[in-house]
């Protein structure tokens, strides 16, 4: 039987995403009612600038007092799209205390304090959903948390930041340098005026923490994620990648150790073979490759950011939470029963592409090879070019621990014949 009394929704934030959430709630009201089993009503919108005109939103709903809004007691669901740590964290816990479930798109907060927020939701018998916090419109968290709940996920490998993928794609396809590609991304609205969170990997690292925690049923915080940005990637790196039949992507990689006793989470640029599905992800799109024991290899692809795509994920969560509310139940909560330790980056085993500037004289290659051997790093291929006393030496290794490679590079820098280390890049996806 259809319930006639509406479920009331409070919206915290009415920017690019929030305004789309409000629009969809209005334009798709009849469909949402049919899917949920009750009408949903926008009961209040908390903003910082109340004087701004917001099309389709009754000005009487707008308030600057977000705390009073979540404390009202008649609010069924709070949708938080303001971002940041505070006041979002306090507003979410206050919402739980006053009877509301929460839908959030706040990756930074969930990555940092997800465990505490889940505990607060459980304490008060409320839901905390955050599909929109990772990869925009792409259904990813729910498949990991629910569809693969009976399986064992071993690896999650993905492009989870559209800005960086756009920049790297332009560098690859046009030969542009980093700054030129960044300028184009900024002009098109893909990059913020301050792109640090994207290009230095902070955004992707927060998403990696969330994905690793869900995939491996363990606690992974933002501080546990190794992070390396992509500002040092050059046209020369792409040229080397092409010679290897690869391209370069900024990847979020979450892995379970071979013995199952630990996990790792990391974000960094990497070369991947052109044959890998992620290599064909272009422009500002996102894609995540999941490897599970029974299901095998799965790939999730689509727009990873933007008002409408992110709002789509928010509304999906809103429907689920409202259904739970009507059924007087809650959905899946935090699952960290494995309590696996998070290993350091030094324990990660992968292949490497190292470009060295060296003296062009006999014996240099032998010296370099000796250093690699002394540190237990096996060389796969070597390419050397040079003239006029200077040369470039490109070494591709077999799989080795990151700590061993770090020791190798430090020793190489001490050789008189090595002028400098031009670049170091990991090789993934094989």
């Amino acid at each position: 039987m259809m319930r006639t009394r509406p479920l009331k929704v409070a919206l915290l934030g009415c920017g690019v995403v929030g305004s789309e959430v409000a629009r969809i709630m209005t334009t798709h009201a009849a469909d949402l009612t049919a899917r949920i089993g009750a009408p949903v009503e926008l009961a209040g919108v908390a903003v910082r600038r109340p004087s701004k005109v917001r099309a389709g939103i009754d000005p009487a709903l707008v308030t600057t007092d977000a705390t009073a809004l979540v404390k009202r007691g008649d609010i069924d669901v709070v949708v938080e799209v303001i971002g940041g740590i505070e006041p979002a964290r306090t507003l979410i816990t206050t919402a739980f205390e006053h009877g509301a479930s929460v839908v959030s798109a706040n990756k930074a907060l969930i990555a940092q304090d997800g465990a505490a927020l889940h505990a607060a939701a459980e304490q008060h018998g409320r839901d905390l959903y955050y599909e929109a916090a990772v990869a925009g419109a792409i259904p990813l968290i729910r498949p990991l948390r629910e569809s693969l709940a009976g399986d064992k996920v071993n690896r999650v490998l993905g492009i989870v930041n559209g800005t960086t993928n756009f920049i790297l794609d332009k560098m690859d396809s046009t030969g542009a340098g980093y700054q030129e590609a960044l300028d184009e991304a900024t002009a098109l609205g893909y990059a913020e005026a301050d792109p640090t969170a994207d290009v230095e990997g902070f955004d992707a690292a927060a998403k990696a923490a969330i994905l690793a925690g869900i995939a491996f049923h363990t606690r992974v915080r933002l501080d546990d994620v190794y992070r390396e940005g992509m500002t040092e990637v050059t046209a020369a790196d792409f040229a080397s990648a092409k010679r290897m039949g690869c391209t370069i992507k900024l990847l979020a990689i979450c892995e379970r150790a071979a013995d199952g006793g630990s996990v790792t989470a990391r974000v960094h640029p990497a070369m991947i073979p052109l044959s890998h599905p992620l290599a064909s992800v272009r422009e500002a799109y996102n894609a995540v490759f999941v490897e599970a024991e029974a299901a095998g290899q799965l790939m999730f692809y689509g727009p990873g950011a933007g008002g409408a795509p992110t709002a789509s994920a928010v509304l999906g969560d809103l429907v689920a939470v409202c259904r739970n509310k009507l059924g007087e139940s809650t959905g899946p909560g935090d699952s960290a029963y494995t309590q696996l330790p998070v290993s350091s980056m030094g324990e990660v085993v992968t292949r490497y592409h190292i470009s060295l500037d060296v003296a062009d004289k006999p014996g240099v290659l032998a010296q370099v090879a000796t250093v690699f051997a002394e540190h237990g790093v096996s060389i796969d291929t070597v390419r050397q070019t040079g003239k006029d006393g200077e040369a470039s030496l490109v070494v591709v290794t077999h799989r080795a621990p990151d700590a061993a490679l770090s020791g190798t590079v430090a020793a190489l820098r001490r050789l008189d014949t090595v002028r400098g280390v031009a670049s170091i890049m990991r090789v993934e996806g094989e």
Side-chain angles (χ1 to χ4, degrees), residues 289-372:
F289 204 70
V290 177
E291 298 176 11
E293 198 167 88
Q297 298 178 332
L298 308 170
M299 183 164 161
F300 301 83
Y301 169 86
T310 305
S312 171
V314 169
L315 267 294
D317 279 350
L318 178 63
V319 168
V321 169
C322 286
R323 286 172 175 169
N324 292 342
K325 187 84 173 183
L326 290 179
E328 298 182 346
S329 65
T330 56
D334 194 21
S335 175
Y337 69 91
T338 63
Q339 298 183 12
L340 295 172
V342 182
S343 298
S344 68
M345 188 62 189
E347 298 176 67
V348 170
V349 177
T350 189
R351 297 178 67 206
Y352 299 87
H353 175 282
I354 305 103
S355 180
L356 305 172
D357 295 326
V358 300
D360 187 16
K361 62 183 184 181
V364 173
L365 180 56
Q367 286 183 329
V368 168
T370 297
V371 170
F372 276 87

Side-chain angles (χ1 to χ4, degrees), residues 5 15 18 30 45 95 129 174 191 195 242 255 257 260-261 269 276 302 315 386:
R5 184 170 65 83
V45 182
Y129 277 46
T174 69
K242 286 181 179 180
E255 293 179 306
H276 194 282
L315 267 294

Side-chain angles (χ1 to χ4, degrees), residues 25-104:
M25 285 184 64
T26 301
T27 58
H28 294 183
D31 287 335
L32 291 173
T33 298
R35 294 167 190 172
I36 292 169
V40 287
E41 173 187 305
L42 189 59
V45 182
V47 299
R48 287 184 297 179
R49 297 189 298 275
S51 59
K52 180 179 177 181
V53 176
R54 294 172 172 85
I57 296 178
D58 183 350
L61 298 178
V62 176
T63 178
T64 58
D65 193 343
T67 301
L69 179 59
V70 300
K71 282 184 173 181
R72 272 178 37 176
D74 65 334
I75 299 297
D76 295 291
V77 183
V78 169
V79 174
E80 183 271 308
V81 289
I82 56 178
I85 305 302
E86 288 291 357
R89 174 171 50 197
T90 298
L91 290 170
I92 288 174
T93 55
T94 301
F96 292 146
E97 292 166 0
H98 287 79
S101 290
V102 173
V103 172
S104 175

